[in-house]
Amino acid sequence: MAINVTINLAVALALLAFMYRQQSRHASFTVRVFTGLGLGVLLGAGLQAIYGTASPELKTTSDYLDIIGTGYVKLLQMIIMPLIMVSIIAAILKLKNASSLGKISALTIGTLIATTIVAAGLGIVMAKLFNLSAVGLTANAAEAARGAYLQGKLGDAQAISLPSMLISFIPANPFLDLTGARKTSTIAVVIFSIFIGISAIGIHDKKPELFASFDHFIKVAHAIVMRMVTLVLRLTPYGVFALMAGLVATSSYADILNLISFVLASYSALILMFCVHLALVSAAGLNPLRYVQKIFPVLAFAFTSRTSAGSIPMSVQTQTRRLGTPEGIANFAASFGATIGQNGCAGIYPAMLAVMIAPTVGIDPFTASFIVPLLAIIAIGSVGVAGVGGGATFAALIVLSSMNLPVALAGLLISIEPLIDMGRTALNVSGSIMAGTVTSRVLGETDMAVFNGDAELGDEPEPEASRAA
């Protein structure tokens, strides 16, 4: 076994060396991400074809690949809270206007929740077109265990109400939230950062020397954090390669074929919702094709990593350096989009599950009396969905329990959960970027020179003086 694992890792290292050679030859970031994605799929498929999903060789190889893939995700998660904090404080110090902050928040959150309702509607339509129903599905041991787990979590979901969720956003201990300990830590850090920024503006006239010192400190901290983001993002192609190889190598193609209708319906809804995003970007007066080309690396990472929160640093840099969105708006959109109004996890997924499961208890899901409350519950439940794993499950529990539907039946989809979650996460991130882009454009803040330019992720930003020149 040791020899086989050594050979597998040698092949993986050779592919990584090829990707490093691409980087040294200054291939574009998008090309390198595409290469990592493609080579990861080929390696994963090859390993599964040779060894099979249950082989110890495959498990050991996947564990070593996980050092690169999961290690990269953890590096991104490491810089999320510092990035959010210094960027939002810096943005508020530049704004010096609380009304602008209110407009940004209202437009961003409103766009996220509105598109989540549209996404839920598309999920219902696709469930109807593909005739999805949980009636007659049988559960194996893994699915039954998953169903029991969901049933056990039902109490936690039922205890959640909109008032309690909103209260959880308030950072009683901001230092705890800076560790990411709670599901709502991201929003709590945003709120804490807003308070710091507004408080600093309050001493601008009364204590200008102190304000100037604090402003300088934030500029230094911001420069250091952005340099850290740049260094981590340069590892993206390698992280995507390792994550994709591990996922493809361990996927069960038989399970996917057994639930192919749900897979096709899900991805049909996801693709249609992505087209809605592009339509909104186009309506804002931006070229949708150029927009897609610029956001692709972020979507590829979100697709392979399955973490909306982990995508925040790349999302912010994409919006600011490739789409021309100001940092304040970009950080608001990326931060709120990781926990509020996730189009994939909080919109399409729970809507399709509800429509599938309703017939098992004798309910016709295609009546106004079912659809109207379903959309309302999804809109409310989309507030505070976790962005680091489990978000879709949490949203599904809230919706199914609120609609008095059996939550255990959701466990029937455990075998294809990773495949569906990849598309859901990519759509979540697409929605947050779209919200920031549209908000920036509506407020007239978009730098069209940047949007029409060819900046790459991982590049050093131009000094402000040279940009002004």
Side-chain angles (χ1 to χ4, degrees), residues 126-398:
M126 289 301 107
K128 173 68 173 177
L129 291 178
F130 283 84
N131 295 316
L132 298 183
S133 175
V135 176
L137 289 178
T138 57
N140 61 26
E143 291 161 347
R146 175 65 171 174
Y149 168 79
L150 293 174
Q151 195 70 45
K153 288 288 185 181
L154 180 59
D156 294 337
Q158 289 177 330
I160 296 295
S161 63
L162 183 59
S164 65
M165 198 175 294
L166 293 175
I167 290 173
S168 71
F169 294 162
I170 301 173
N173 184 348
F175 300 101
L176 175 68
D177 287 316
L178 283 168
T179 68
R182 301 188 301 140
K183 288 184 176 181
T184 55
S185 284
T186 303
I187 295 180
V189 170
V190 171
I191 292 173
F192 181 58
S193 302
I194 290 172
F195 268 91
I196 293 176
I198 292 175
S199 299
I201 290 174
I203 66 168
H204 179 268
D205 296 327
K206 299 176 182 177
K207 300 178 181 179
E209 292 182 2
L210 290 179
F211 176 83
S213 297
F214 180 74
D215 187 38
H216 179 69
F217 165 74
I218 291 298
K219 285 178 179 175
V220 172
H222 184 263
I224 293 172
V225 170
M226 291 310 296
R227 172 61 181 168
M228 199 185 309
V229 171
T230 297
L231 292 174
V232 174
L233 291 188
R234 287 177 180 172
L235 303 174
T236 300
Y238 311 105
V240 167
F241 163 77
L243 290 166
M244 202 65 191
L247 183 74
V248 174
T250 55
S251 295
S252 171
Y253 304 140
D255 288 338
I256 292 171
L257 289 174
N258 287 338
L259 291 167
I260 192 64
S261 292
F262 187 82
V263 174
L264 291 175
S266 296
Y267 273 89
S268 296
L270 291 169
I271 291 169
L272 285 174
M273 193 59 211
F274 182 66
C275 291
V276 171
H277 292 172
L278 295 184
L280 291 172
V281 169
S282 181
L286 299 174
N287 185 323
L289 295 179
R290 176 172 285 273
Y291 173 82
V292 171
Q293 181 254 328
K294 286 176 175 284
I295 70 170
F296 171 78
V298 195
L299 300 187
F301 168 72
F303 186 81
T304 52
S305 67
R306 296 164 53 198
T307 165
S308 300
S311 303
I312 288 176
M314 196 183 302
S315 172
V316 170
Q317 197 180 63
T318 296
Q319 291 183 67
T320 55
R321 297 190 187 173
R322 306 196 79 194
L323 298 176
T325 300
E327 282 191 8
I329 296 175
N331 274 280
F332 267 85
S335 303
F336 281 113
T339 46
I340 290 178
Q342 295 187 348
N343 291 181
C345 289
I348 291 173
Y349 184 65
M352 293 183 73
L353 275 183
V355 170
M356 275 185 69
I357 293 172
T360 65
V361 290
I363 296 174
D364 180 0
F366 303 108
T367 60
S369 60
F370 182 86
I371 292 175
V372 172
L374 175 62
L375 293 178
I377 290 168
I378 285 174
I380 296 171
S382 71
V383 178
V385 175
V388 188
T393 299
F394 185 68
L397 286 174
I398 292 174

Side-chain angles (χ1 to χ4, degrees), residues 3 23 119 459:
I3 295 176
Q23 180 176 339
D459 289 345

Side-chain angles (χ1 to χ4, degrees), residues 25-65:
R25 291 184 171 184
H26 306 292
S28 73
F29 187 82
T30 302
V31 167
R32 287 187 284 125
V33 170
F34 259 122
T35 301
L37 192 65
L39 292 178
V41 170
L42 290 175
L43 179 62
L47 290 174
Q48 184 175 136
I50 294 171
Y51 300 106
T53 54
S55 69
E57 291 93 343
L58 183 59
K59 183 182 184 308
T60 304
T61 302
S62 296
D63 288 343
Y64 279 103
L65 287 173

